[in-house]
Amino acid sequence: MINENFLKLQSSYLFSTIASKVKAFKAEHPEVDVISLGIGDVTQPLPQACLEAMHKAVDEMSSSDTFRGYGPEQGYDFLRKAIIENDYIPRGVQLDMDEVFISDGAKSDCGNIGDILDTRCSVGVTDPVYPVYVDSNVMCGRAGDFVDGKWSNITFLPVSAANRFIPALPQEHIDIIYLCYPNNPTGTVLTKEQLAKWVEYAIREKSLILFDAAYEAYIQHDDIPHSIYEIPGAKSCAIELRSYSKTAGFTGIRCGYTVVPKDLGQLNALWNRRQCTKFNGTSYITQRAAEAIYSPEGKQQVRKTIGYYMDNAAFMRGKLTEMGYEVFGGTDAPYIWLKTPEGVTSWEFFDLILHKIGIVTTPGSGFGPSGEGYVRLTAFGRHEDCEKAMERFKEI
Amino acid sequence: MINENFLKLQSSYLFSTIASKVKAFKAEHPEVDVISLGIGDVTQPLPQACLEAMHKAVDEMSSSDTFRGYGPEQGYDFLRKAIIENDYIPRGVQLDMDEVFISDGAKSDCGNIGDILDTRCSVGVTDPVYPVYVDSNVMCGRAGDFVDGKWSNITFLPVSAANRFIPALPQEHIDIIYLCYPNNPTGTVLTKEQLAKWVEYAIREKSLILFDAAYEAYIQHDDIPHSIYEIPGAKSCAIELRSYSKTAGFTGIRCGYTVVPKDLGQLNALWNRRQCTKFNGTSYITQRAAEAIYSPEGKQQVRKTIGYYMDNAAFMRGKLTEMGYEVFGGTDAPYIWLKTPEGVTSWEFFDLILHKIGIVTTPGSGFGPSGEGYVRLTAFGRHEDCEKAMERFKEI
């Protein structure tokens, strides 16, 4: 009766293991003010423009004249239009409305996109990796079997300081490749030139790139692409996933979107059919909030919050570097990838700093074998907490 | 590359065909005030209690002290608790918090629940049927092949006036059975005794019932079960899907829930893992709105709106019966299932009343072969429109 692929899932409950370790520590040391630089959730309030838009949308629901029932499964045109005009046209990318699909978040889309792809396709992911890419493929059988610590149908492409966090193109053919840039968890980026090599590969190999750009709003440097479609030809080989979670603090109100270009052939129609059948659109109120991100006030407010987080990142990068740590990321992404001291594993370092200075990080090895020897720090905390945390780091 | 099961989908674009026929009619007859009794969307505003709860929740998002980021994938405890205490305990059903999963709507859950079930399972649906049950099984290959107008792995269980809309138990073993009561599209119900036979069957055959109770709030009679768990033993053989869409006008703000009892064995853990991996929780603001449905004011307001729609249903049933039509449903559900005149097909009757009296219905045959000879009328319209519609029916 059950889908037995689920039984193959590795119980890599990374965040629940962290949570239980933190809970135990807090119980033993109630006097310690534990600072979390662990989970990648935002802390700053929603932009004022979004709040106003939501109040207004709630009011519309109070009268039968302005009430909105079922919306389009693909999202409202007002939001799809705002996306194309603001996120794409200024970067030289033309999209049609029916290539943009609004959703309740990139995690849903990223998990569900596999519905329209053959379960026999081979898969490539960078290592370390956002676990959803792997687990969603395990669940439908596409990952194959877990043999000797590896999935038989998934190629892991290591990224670490050794290759300056630039994944090498695979030697073999891979059907579906997940790329996440700016990267979660490493906080590193690819330049246009580096990303163009992947587009070339995908076109040559007739592969599909699933490009997760959830963190694009954090990009500060001009040569870093915000969209894979800035690379010529990418529309014929890539689906792009976007999220408002980190852009505008939407982690709790849920909205993202996915671009499936018609140049990809049937995939556009298939995703439309998938969404029409298994999804009923995103909350109207949430979509109005998302639209407000693109208003002049919204843009300014979003820039301010992102500036706040990126100041945290720059501050922590600076302090940690001063203290002699080797750090990566954090210049175009809200994550800092910190190399643990020689001979200290990710979990050992996690335990050490939790117990010695009361700071929660995320062990890099939880994201994949090539994450061993790193921990991830997020810049999403309050600035005062980042300051306190850096003071405490001096004590190690 | 693509999932070729999608290519087997029948292009039964029921509602888009209706939409294009209506569009063409309106273009030819701009003078006619077309009344829609077609699509099952609500028209009355949200309950005041829900609006207030949403304004409050939006305000919480304006300060970092009360801001809510990622919520639990399974939904907030405040809502799960309210559900158990209000929807289940008063009906003698005990549930644990971790058996209740909040979602963005029953359509998503209904489409996604197949993720945790073996794609080789056989499937049973009543005919006529809500198309999502069939199409979501086609997409993952579970439906088999479409041969001679039938899916090789789906058993259709006819319901019509001939069997008083009580589906006969299947002669053979079926692994997964979808039951929707109060029924969409027929508006008919099963008594506890009639539903108990299905629970017995499922226990005996080790089958799983997917019980869609999206319309339970419309039940007016005591002997009609609101939950399948009112039948002893159902927890060991049934998953229940619930929605706030019709209960409280949430079609545009998106919330529902699914109960996966632990008596079902691994399915509870599998659904939890599925949701944690491929879903990131429902909007906090929406969940606060849903919680408000259970407040004393919320309950009263919901009752009032449901009363409004059920008055429409009773009114239309009465008038249509007076006019000599044979009608079913509409006593414990917001849908009326009208028998077309002798020898007139569903689509013929649809066309006739669209062109003659400017009223939009849904042709029964669009929901399956046994829907032939019926049209569906919804009670979700404004009362004045229902009155106008019944006046016009006299002209046929």
Side-chain angles (χ1 to χ4, degrees), chain A residues 32-339:
Chain A
V32 178
D33 167 32
V34 174
I35 297 173
S36 176
L37 302 175
I39 292 177
D41 197 358
V42 297
T43 53
Q44 294 301 298
L46 287 185
Q48 189 61 32
C50 300
L51 296 167
E52 285 165 16
M54 287 198 284
H55 279 305
K56 192 164 162 249
V58 171
D59 285 337
E60 285 180 57
M61 293 300 204
S62 70
S63 153
S64 60
D65 294 331
T66 51
F67 177 80
R68 303 264 191 154
Y70 289 123
E73 287 93 345
Q74 305 82 359
Y76 278 100
D77 282 354
F78 63 75
L79 181 53
R80 301 164 97 187
K81 192 163 168 281
I83 287 166
I84 293 171
E85 287 177 358
N86 291 280
D87 287 342
Y88 290 99
I89 289 177
R91 301 197 176 278
V93 179
Q94 304 291 328
L95 291 175
D96 290 340
M97 296 274 260
D98 58 1
E99 296 179 306
V100 179
F101 297 85
I102 312 298
S103 74
D104 65 317
K107 188 173 167 193
S108 298
D109 285 354
C110 174
N112 293 331
I113 195 79
D115 280 10
I116 63 171
L117 301 170
D118 195 314
T119 52
R120 293 162 301 183
C121 287
S122 57
V123 174
V125 297
T126 57
D127 163 31
V129 63
Y130 175 51
V132 171
Y133 306 155
V134 174
D135 289 354
S136 59
N137 281 296
V138 174
M139 287 176 174
C140 67
R142 194 180 292 114
D145 295 309
F146 196 68
V147 184
D148 300 333
K150 285 183 180 170
W151 291 102
S152 56
N153 204 29
I154 299 185
T155 303
F156 284 82
L157 307 160
V159 285
S160 69
N163 60 5
R164 294 173 303 122
F165 297 92
I166 303 161
L169 292 178
Q171 300 297 308
E172 69 278 38
H173 169 81
I174 298 179
D175 295 316
I176 304 166
I177 296 157
Y178 289 79
L179 293 177
C180 173
Y181 287 99
N183 187 253
N184 176 17
T186 66
T188 59
V189 286
L190 292 185
T191 62
K192 277 185 194 167
E193 201 185 330
Q194 289 158 350
L195 185 57
K197 291 192 180 148
W198 284 93
V199 172
E200 270 168 48
Y201 170 90
I203 292 172
R204 189 175 66 236
E205 293 286 330
K206 300 192 192 324
S207 307
L208 175 69
I209 295 174
L210 299 175
F211 191 75
D212 183 347
Y215 297 92
E216 66 79 28
Y218 292 83
I219 294 171
Q220 310 290 315
H221 294 87
D222 286 345
D223 57 335
I224 309 302
H226 289 242
S227 164
I228 194 166
Y229 306 124
E230 293 179 48
I231 313 297
K235 275 197 202 174
S236 68
C237 68
I239 287 173
E240 180 161 292
L241 301 111
R242 291 276 190 112
S243 166
Y244 297 112
S245 285
K246 310 301 163 75
T247 303
F250 275 37
T251 51
I253 70 164
R254 316 300 317 133
C255 198
Y257 65 87
T258 288
V259 178
V260 187
K262 284 178 281 192
D263 286 359
L264 287 171
Q266 292 172 305
L267 290 175
N268 177 275
L270 262 57
W271 183 244
N272 186 52
R273 188 76 192 250
R274 192 270 167 211
Q275 291 299 81
C276 288
T277 302
K278 297 172 74 170
F279 183 59
N280 227 339
T282 303
S283 162
Y284 170 68
I285 294 163
T286 298
Q287 290 190 63
R288 282 294 186 197
E291 181 192 26
I293 294 172
Y294 298 106
S295 67
E297 305 73 36
K299 283 181 185 173
Q300 201 185 353
Q301 291 155 6
V302 163
R303 260 198 305 275
K304 199 179 149 198
T305 304
I306 290 190
Y308 178 93
Y309 294 136
M310 290 309 285
D311 284 350
N312 285 345
F315 171 77
M316 292 194 292
R317 268 186 67 91
K319 289 292 176 188
L320 291 165
T321 308
E322 272 175 31
M323 288 181 246
Y325 287 102
E326 204 176 354
V327 294
F328 304 92
T331 56
D332 294 278
Y335 295 123
I336 291 172
W337 194 241
L338 181 149
K339 183 92 196 72

Side-chain angles (χ1 to χ4, degrees), chain B residues 150-361:
Chain B
K150 284 183 181 169
W151 291 103
S152 57
N153 204 30
I154 299 186
T155 302
F156 283 81
L157 307 160
V159 285
S160 69
N163 59 6
R164 295 174 301 120
F165 297 92
I166 302 161
L169 293 178
Q171 300 297 311
E172 68 278 37
H173 169 82
I174 297 178
D175 294 317
I176 303 167
I177 296 158
Y178 291 78
L179 293 178
C180 173
Y181 286 99
N183 187 252
N184 177 18
T186 67
T188 59
V189 286
L190 292 185
T191 62
K192 277 186 195 169
E193 201 185 330
Q194 289 158 351
L195 186 57
K197 291 190 180 147
W198 283 93
V199 172
E200 270 168 47
Y201 170 90
I203 292 172
R204 189 176 65 235
E205 293 286 331
K206 299 192 193 325
S207 307
L208 176 69
I209 295 174
L210 298 175
F211 191 74
D212 183 346
Y215 296 92
E216 66 80 28
Y218 292 83
I219 294 172
Q220 311 290 314
H221 294 87
D222 285 346
D223 58 334
I224 309 302
H226 289 242
S227 164
I228 194 168
Y229 305 124
E230 293 178 49
I231 313 297
K235 275 196 202 174
S236 68
C237 66
I239 287 173
E240 181 160 291
L241 301 111
R242 291 275 191 113
S243 166
Y244 297 112
S245 285
K246 310 300 163 77
T247 303
F250 275 37
T251 52
I253 70 163
R254 315 300 316 133
C255 197
Y257 65 87
T258 288
V259 178
V260 187
K262 284 179 280 191
D263 285 0
L264 287 170
Q266 291 172 305
L267 290 175
N268 176 275
L270 261 58
W271 184 244
N272 186 52
R273 188 74 192 251
R274 192 271 167 209
Q275 292 297 82
C276 288
T277 303
K278 297 172 75 171
F279 183 59
N280 227 339
T282 303
S283 162
Y284 170 67
I285 295 163
T286 298
Q287 290 191 63
R288 282 295 186 197
E291 181 193 26
I293 295 172
Y294 299 106
S295 66
E297 306 73 37
K299 283 181 185 173
Q300 201 186 351
Q301 292 155 6
V302 162
R303 261 199 305 274
K304 199 179 149 198
T305 304
I306 289 188
Y308 179 92
Y309 294 136
M310 290 310 284
D311 284 350
N312 286 345
F315 171 77
M316 292 195 291
R317 268 186 67 90
K319 290 290 178 191
L320 291 165
T321 307
E322 271 174 33
M323 288 180 246
Y325 288 103
E326 204 177 354
V327 295
F328 303 92
T331 56
D332 294 277
Y335 295 123
I336 291 172
W337 195 241
L338 181 148
K339 183 90 196 73
T340 59
E342 192 63 35
V344 181
T345 69
S346 297
W347 277 109
E348 284 166 358
F349 195 66
F350 169 90
D351 285 330
L352 176 80
I353 61 177
L354 174 61
H355 286 271
K356 207 156 172 192
I357 58 172
I359 289 174
V360 182
T361 57

